[in-house]
Structure formats: structure tokens, C-alpha cells
Amino acid sequence: MKEIIIIKSNDVLNCLSDPTFTENWEKLYISCPWATVYQSYSYAQVWYKSYLATHEPVLFVWLTNDKKIRGLLALARDKSNGNVGCVGMHHGEYQVWLAYPEDKETFITKTLMLFHKEFPGRKLQFMYIPPSTPLDWTAEKFFKKYCYVKDFRRPVIDLRDTATVRQFLNKKRNRARLNQIKRMGDLQVRSISDPESFKNRLPEIITLFDFRRMAAFGFTSFGSDRLKAPYHEALASVPDASILRALEMTVDNHLVAIVMTLVGKGQAHRFNGGIFSPLFSKQSPMGLVTYMLAEQLSQDGYHILDISPGGGDDSYKWSLANAEDTAHVLVVYPSSLQYHVSATARKIRLIPGKVLRKSGVNTGKLFACIAYIKARVFCPFFWVSLPWIFVCWIYDQIYFSDEIRVFYIPNSNTSKFKFKNKVSCNSLDDLLAFVPQKPWQSKQSFVAAAANALGKGNHVYTIVENGRLVAWVWLSSRKNQFVGYGKAAYDLKENSSLLYDLNVIVNANRENLILSLLQAALNDISFNKGVKRVYFIDNKYYVNMEILESLGLKNKGTFFYRRCFGWTSSRSEIDNFL
């Protein structure tokens, strides 16, 4: 006789420390054809212990008379809102139940009946369900009134196709990218195999991951989840069963890119997406590191590197894949009414997207703009400042003027300065310390603009005080960068560097901050023998003339720009920009 029992809270922790129980769990995990590493005992015990403060562990276990486990569903209840989800919650890429092949439908159908008795009114979502999971029972007359199933294409790298893996790395374009990175310093590619190495690298991983998240979505994952860093450390420290496998690429011991995977049952699942430095965006290091790891996994007997479902058909992930299969999302509703209400809402939400796509509109960009507007609309400071924003906009349409002073110094005249304030170069942590000063400013737009500038090869010098970004200036050595307005603009020539967008957001010690930033930048430029001249752009007399003269910068001239009732004019007092 078999019975399904529910184990909660501390009883779950007791089971996790019981050798017999854990042995039975692992035996079931190995025998279950559709199981992934996210259903293993090794992963579950790490996540349960890491998030015990915020989530209550719940196990549905199908036991025989001799205490053998025939089926298992590992869940967790959010203590803040009572929602129930699979172990790992949003951290777990794959969410599914475990059962022996002969019990593939019996266990889950009985468990779902019991689930709705134990947690009335709560839906249960499995996202994503791996390919080959039996889902035919969801189409049966009884369950189809409660179950919503959606298919997602899943890009994968078939590691058995070793020729494709080698071909990717041997492409001329990829070899050129790798050589570009090599020219930037001491290039190293190595596996992170021990917990101590991973722990030492984790702060840099967190910075790169949160910087990308802030630029793309307007929030930080590690910054908003204090348990996430210990959770990652615990994954790297699993005894007797290494489930976290990572490959990093570094230049002068600074992280360029890292690919982390959770491995088990011959498959590797990419973990936390792509993590790379925006300083190396041009070289697309994620593809290189992904295929280097794929080559290692193939040699170690793994057959699939899962790049993760979702992301759309035009996603960068599909450029890496050499095969695909299908994953699923399953939502089980507590009542037929909720199922139909949700289905109707989904159909209504899909109508605008279908119409726009038929009209040729890029719905991805459109919905991103809508999300950006919603973030502004729901910001209370936005509404407070809205009248002032409107007045300023009207005034700018009627009359706007700008003056840009250009200062010049030959690189041979730059000397080694000693500056008072601590100045960092290309520090992502400093950029993440930006605090908007005006209601219409956004931290996300600031970080996104910074990521874009760094990706183009620009550099930023920053000063942070009391955990807050207080001053910064940008340095560019790129060609085809224009200075000025309209016909009066000049192209930044070869062998030139440009200092621009100087900002200081505190009044106290302002002149020292400006001086320190410019001194630090000029110091670094002086070591670059390829740079013959340095320009500094000053908008509307932002910097005191005495500071610039003390650094040896000489006034080259001024750009003027004016707009009045729609008419624009621009002129320059500079005869020769060189």
C-alpha cells in the first residue's frame, strides 16, 4: 500500500539529514527519466537551507509500507504572501515532480488533488517543465478544466556534435575576437573547481550581474536579495556532489566573462544567464566562453548544454544553439472559474501584440517603452515635478541656448599629478552608486547609458563618498566623435583624446573633486604614447578657469548654439580644431 504524506518546516530539515531518506531521494532522481539537477537532493537541500528565513519547505512524498519513496514533489511556501511554488522558486530553471516511469501519471494526479486540499485557493506553477515529461493527463476531461500548458522552444548545444563545437571556436571572426582580448592583457581561461576560488570571484560576479540587470530592467538581483550570495556560495560547496560548474575568462585577473552551469544526469543547464563585462562588449566574450565550456563538457561525457528556454526567436541565445527541443509551462488552478478567467485575460492581452506584429511594429521595443513609461508614471516624484517639467519643455521649445568651451593640451605637456580624492577608473560599483538628483532622472537610464558608452570603448573616472557617486567624467579616444552642434561640429581626429560630461553633484569640496578627476584622467592619458593631444569640453562655464589653467589646459575657443521659436543657429569661434 502506498500513501502520500505532506512534510513541512523543520520536519523537512530532519528528513534532509536522514541518510535513508536522502538515499531514496537520490535513487528516485536517478531513475526518473525527466528529472533535472534542480530536482536532486543536492540542489534542494542547498536552496531550502539558504532561503529558510523567507520560505517554508514543503514535501509531498509517496511512500510504500517499507518507507521507499515512489514519488516526490518538492515545494516551498513564501512566508510573506503564502504563495506556493516548486523548490527553487524563481531561482529554479526547471520545476517538475519525481516519479518512477511506471508511476509517471498516478503520482502527480493524486498529489495535485491533495495539494488543493492542503492549500485551498492557491495555484501551482511549474516553470519550466523539461522535455519528455509526461503531460498527457492534463488533456483528460477532469484536469483540462484546471491545467494550462504552454510550450516554449528551448535552444541547446548538442555536445555530441563535436564538429559544430570546434567549428564555432575556429571561425575567423571568433578567433579575431579572441586575439583582440589577448592584446588587452594577460588572458586566462580556467575552470572554477573549488569553493574558495568561487567565493573570491563572487563579488566581481555580483557587480557584473547587477550592473547588467540595472541597465536592462531597472533593478539589481543580488542587491535586492541578501540571501542570493550565500545561496551561490552554498551551491559551490556541495559536498561529494559538485553540481555547480563554471568557466571564467579573465584579463589581468579581471573578469571578462563567466558561464555558470548546474550539471547532472548528463546535462548542463546555464545558470544566471550571461555574465560579462561591458568593457568587452565589442568582443562578444559570452559566445567564446560558452563554447569553450561546451568543449570541456563534451570531453567529460555530457550530451546537452541547455542555454535556457524563452527569450524570443531573435534572442542572442539562438545564435549559440545548434539544436532545439521543447520545454513547457504548466499552471494548475484551484478552480475551473479561475482557469477560465485567466484564459480570457491571456487572450485579451495577446490581441494588441498580434495586431501590431501584423502591422510590422517591433513589439519588443514597444513594450519596453511602455514599461519605461509605467515606471515613471508610478513614481510619486514624477507627478510632483510634472508641472515644472512641462514649463521647462515649453521654455526650451521657445528659446534654448548653449555654449561649449573647448580646452586643449598636448599630451607631451601632461604631467604626473598627485590628487587628494580617491578616483576609480571604469568602476561598475561606483556607477551603481548613482542616486538620481532630479525627479525626471532614472538610475536605470543612467546605468544603461554608461553601459553603452563603456561598450563603445570609452572610459569613466568616478569618485564615491559615503556610498554615493558624487563626481564623474568621461574619456573618449574614439574616432568619429563629434564636438559641437550642427554645421559647427568638429570630428575628433586620430591620436586625440576627449574629456567630456564632467558632473559634480555636491557643492562641498567641489573644486577639489573636479581637480582630482581631471588629474587622474590626464595621468592615465600621459602613459598612452599614441595620444598626441587632449581636449576637454566644458558646458556653460561649469569649471573655474583657474582649475583648468593649473592643469595646463588652454582655451581653444567656444561653440555657440541657439534655438528660438523653432529656428536654430550655430557658430564656432574655433578656426582649426587641431
Side-chain angles (χ1 to χ4, degrees):
M1 182 179 176
K2 306 170 188 173
E3 63 171 337
I4 298 176
I5 62 171
I6 303 172
I7 309 172
K8 294 183 180 180
S9 302
N10 291 332
D11 291 335
V12 174
L13 300 180
N14 294 334
C15 290
L16 294 177
S17 59
D18 180 357
T20 304
F21 185 88
T22 57
E23 183 183 344
N24 281 330
W25 186 334
E26 281 298 290
K27 191 179 296 183
L28 174 63
Y29 159 70
I30 293 169
S31 302
C32 182
W34 57 86
T36 71
V37 65
Y38 291 96
Q39 285 71 57
S40 67
Y41 158 76
S42 300
Y43 176 80
Q45 60 94 13
V46 165
W47 192 87
Y48 277 144
K49 291 177 180 178
S50 298
Y51 283 88
L52 189 60
T54 57
H55 292 78
E56 176 191 13
V58 180
L59 293 179
F60 284 75
V61 185
W62 199 16
L63 290 176
T64 61
N65 290 335
D66 56 354
K67 302 300 180 184
K68 301 291 185 183
I69 301 176
R70 297 292 302 178
L72 186 145
L73 176 60
L75 304 176
R77 187 184 67 84
D78 192 325
K79 294 179 180 179
S80 63
N81 55 28
N83 289 339
V84 182
C86 292
V87 61
M89 302 298 277
H90 62 278
H91 302 110
E93 186 78 21
Y94 292 96
Q95 301 173 348
V96 74
W97 55 93
L98 296 177
Y100 286 100
E102 56 269 27
D103 300 319
K104 60 184 180 181
E105 295 183 359
T106 308
F107 168 68
I108 187 58
T109 53
K110 288 184 176 181
T111 299
L112 290 177
M113 299 285 195
L114 188 58
F115 172 85
H116 287 304
K117 290 180 182 178
E118 184 68 23
F119 301 102
R122 298 289 179 182
K123 71 177 182 181
L124 181 60
Q125 177 170 291
F126 299 87
M127 184 170 180
Y128 293 94
I129 291 181
S132 77
T133 304
L135 293 174
D136 293 341
W137 55 272
T138 59
E140 293 177 4
K141 185 176 180 180
F142 178 80
F143 284 103
K144 70 179 181 180
K145 298 182 294 182
Y146 302 93
C147 297
Y148 166 73
V149 180
K150 184 176 181 179
D151 296 339
F152 284 86
R153 295 172 63 207
R154 182 178 77 155
V156 299
I157 299 176
D158 186 349
L159 302 177
R160 293 164 293 194
D161 185 2
T162 54
T164 301
V165 175
R166 286 306 314 162
Q167 184 181 1
F168 182 92
L169 294 173
N170 288 329
K171 284 182 180 178
K172 184 178 179 181
R173 181 177 59 180
N174 291 329
R175 284 189 281 110
R177 287 171 174 169
L178 193 60
N179 288 332
Q180 288 175 17
I181 299 173
K182 285 179 180 178
R183 287 194 289 269
M184 296 180 183
D186 180 25
L187 174 66
Q188 297 288 333
V189 179
R190 51 181 172 259
S191 297
I192 301 180
S193 54
D194 64 288
E196 194 62 32
S197 298
F198 184 81
K199 185 177 180 179
N200 293 336
R201 185 62 72 186
L202 188 56
E204 201 171 354
I205 293 172
I206 290 172
T207 298
L208 294 179
F209 188 79
D210 276 355
F211 188 82
R212 184 166 173 257
R213 285 278 168 170
M214 176 57 69
F217 306 110
F219 68 90
T220 57
S221 293
F222 285 88
S224 58
D225 183 356
R226 60 183 176 82
L227 301 176
K228 194 165 185 176
Y231 160 63
H232 279 67
E233 289 182 19
L235 281 174
S237 305
V238 175
D240 304 324
S242 179
I243 61 173
L244 177 63
R245 184 157 178 174
L247 185 71
E248 67 172 11
M249 177 185 287
T250 61
V251 168
D252 296 332
N253 204 34
H254 293 293
L255 195 60
V256 175
I258 183 170
V259 176
M260 296 187 290
T261 59
L262 292 182
V263 296
K265 299 192 71 173
Q267 298 189 34
H269 306 276
R270 201 169 69 162
F271 184 55
N272 275 340
I275 300 174
F276 62 93
S277 170
L279 301 171
F280 297 87
S281 296
K282 284 184 178 179
Q283 289 74 35
S284 299
M286 278 307 304
L288 298 172
V289 181
T290 298
Y291 265 84
M292 287 175 180
L293 178 60
E295 189 174 39
Q296 289 185 8
L297 291 168
S298 177
Q299 293 170 357
D300 293 343
Y302 291 89
H303 57 271
I304 288 290
L305 172 54
D306 164 30
I307 310 177
S308 77
D313 292 341
D314 58 345
S315 169
Y316 173 71
K317 294 186 289 187
W318 287 98
S319 66
L320 300 177
N322 66 358
E324 67 171 274
D325 51 23
T326 304
H328 318 275
V329 169
L330 168 63
V331 185
V332 184
Y333 292 92
S335 68
S336 177
L337 177 62
Q338 288 193 29
Y339 168 82
H340 288 294
V341 169
S342 180
T344 304
R346 273 194 302 273
K347 290 177 182 177
I348 294 173
R349 285 197 301 268
L350 289 174
I351 291 172
K354 289 180 179 178
V355 173
L356 291 169
R357 277 191 291 272
K358 285 183 180 179
S359 305
V361 176
N362 187 324
T363 54
K365 291 184 178 179
L366 177 64
F367 292 148
C369 290
I370 293 173
Y372 178 79
I373 293 170
K374 281 173 65 178
R376 293 297 182 90
V377 168
F378 287 107
C379 174
F381 297 107
F382 175 81
W383 292 104
V384 172
S385 62
L386 189 60
W388 175 246
I389 295 172
F390 181 72
V391 170
C392 291
W393 181 81
I394 292 294
Y395 179 78
D396 281 347
Q397 301 311 303
I398 297 173
Y399 181 80
F400 173 79
S401 66
D402 194 14
E403 294 181 25
I404 301 177
R405 292 189 301 171
V406 178
F407 293 83
Y408 161 83
I409 183 173
N411 195 22
S412 58
N413 292 357
T414 57
S415 55
K416 309 300 181 291
F417 298 101
K418 293 182 179 179
F419 37 91
K420 297 179 181 179
N421 301 87
K422 181 183 177 183
V423 181
S424 301
C425 180
N426 297 336
S427 171
L428 304 187
D429 285 314
D430 285 6
L431 294 172
L432 284 171
F434 171 76
V435 178
Q437 299 300 300
K438 306 289 176 58
W440 55 85
Q441 290 179 333
S442 154
K443 185 172 182 177
Q444 178 183 359
S445 59
F446 173 83
V447 174
N452 184 50
L454 290 170
K456 290 179 178 178
N458 296 343
H459 305 280
V460 62
Y461 292 84
T462 52
I463 298 175
V464 168
E465 291 182 351
N466 300 320
R468 175 184 168 202
L469 180 64
V470 295
W472 66 91
V473 67
W474 283 90
L475 169 66
S476 173
S477 299
R478 296 186 296 115
K479 296 181 185 178
N480 303 322
Q481 175 154 313
F482 290 88
V483 180
Y485 289 100
K487 294 180 180 179
Y490 289 86
D491 186 5
L492 183 67
K493 302 300 181 182
E494 194 174 359
N495 301 326
S496 300
S497 284
L498 177 70
L499 289 165
Y500 68 101
D501 193 24
L502 173 65
N503 284 273
V504 179
I505 60 176
V506 292
N507 292 322
N509 202 29
R510 184 174 182 274
E511 291 189 357
N512 281 335
L513 293 173
I514 292 174
L515 194 60
S516 295
L517 282 175
L518 295 179
Q519 286 173 340
L522 291 173
N523 273 358
D524 286 355
I525 295 171
S526 68
F527 290 105
N528 188 345
K529 301 306 180 184
V531 175
K532 303 300 182 185
R533 59 193 72 83
V534 183
Y535 295 96
F536 170 68
I537 304 301
D538 180 36
N539 287 65
K540 289 191 174 180
Y541 302 92
Y542 192 79
V543 182
N544 190 307
M545 194 74 168
E546 294 177 0
I547 295 177
L548 300 176
E549 289 177 349
S550 70
L551 296 171
L553 287 159
K554 297 180 181 179
N555 194 351
K556 189 73 175 173
T558 306
F559 293 107
F560 296 92
Y561 175 82
R562 181 176 296 172
R563 181 175 65 239
C564 185
F565 290 102
W567 293 90
T568 62
S569 63
S570 58
R571 65 186 177 88
S572 169
E573 292 183 349
I574 304 175
D575 296 327
N576 181 7
F577 195 60
L578 294 176

